[in-house]
Amino acid sequence: MKGMRMNNHDTLVNNLSKIFGYGYTNIFSAINNVITEHNMSATQIKIIEYVLINGHAYPTELAEMLDVNKSAVTQVLKKLELKALIEVRENTLTDDKRSKLIYLTPEAKVILKRLTHEITVEVQKSIDHLRDNERSELSQATDVMMKHLLGGTINEKNFTI
């Protein structure tokens, strides 16, 4: 029985590796096209995603999340501000006038909606050929994956753009 379980485990790992690896090629291409069109770096995207999920962020918080020093984050934030994708506002929740909060602009939300749309289109293309019973099986499998394989913060499960 244990040998059989290991075989199922190996099959599961192999299948998920194929799905998460080569299976996402079209999605990666679609995302890359949007990012390239807006001349954005991976770090800029991470910051925008983080602020989207959390509503706002402190520069120090972003530095910790990215595991870089605050001056590196400041440089990236300046670039995002020049692109009109973030707003840096005074933190009115404290008396410290130096404290700043980062918020997304409507333009950043438009880009994120477009990214989400591109992903949805590619996923739809990949399941269009499935029969109803196969879609049902896949839906059940994705429910399990959402429960156990969330990538990132716990808030991702329930947020929308």
Side-chain angles (χ1 to χ4, degrees), residues 1-8:
M1 190 71 146
K2 189 171 183 172
M4 187 175 196
R5 183 189 284 158
M6 185 61 161
N7 186 16
N8 288 342

Side-chain angles (χ1 to χ4, degrees), residues 7-122:
N7 186 16
N8 288 342
H9 178 267
D10 290 346
T11 301
L12 176 63
V13 169
N14 187 39
N15 288 346
L16 288 173
S17 295
K18 288 177 183 174
I19 291 168
F20 290 142
Y22 299 114
Y24 287 140
T25 304
N26 292 341
I27 292 172
F28 290 145
S29 294
I31 291 170
N32 190 50
N33 289 342
V34 174
I35 291 170
T36 301
E37 180 181 315
H38 294 282
N39 195 27
M40 297 177 71
S41 70
T43 302
Q44 291 172 346
I45 290 291
K46 286 179 186 177
I47 288 173
I48 288 174
E49 288 173 335
Y50 186 89
V51 176
L52 173 71
I53 291 168
N54 293 287
H56 66 273
Y58 296 95
T60 307
E61 185 180 6
L62 295 171
E64 290 173 8
M65 182 265 301
L66 294 167
D67 196 27
V68 298
N69 62 43
K70 193 175 171 198
S71 65
V73 167
T74 300
Q75 291 176 351
V76 176
L77 292 176
K78 284 180 182 179
K79 289 178 183 178
L80 287 170
E81 200 170 16
L82 285 171
K83 293 176 184 180
L85 298 177
I86 62 161
E87 293 177 0
V88 180
R89 300 183 198 157
E90 184 177 308
N91 182 0
T92 57
L93 305 174
T94 180
D95 291 333
D96 185 354
K97 300 295 182 196
R98 298 170 299 167
S99 181
K100 304 294 181 200
L101 285 172
I102 311 305
Y103 292 89
L104 294 183
T105 64
E107 176 61 24
K109 292 177 184 179
V110 167
I111 292 170
L112 289 169
K113 282 184 181 183
R114 183 159 169 237
L115 280 170
T116 302
H117 173 76
E118 294 295 331
I119 292 167
T120 301
V121 166
E122 292 302 324

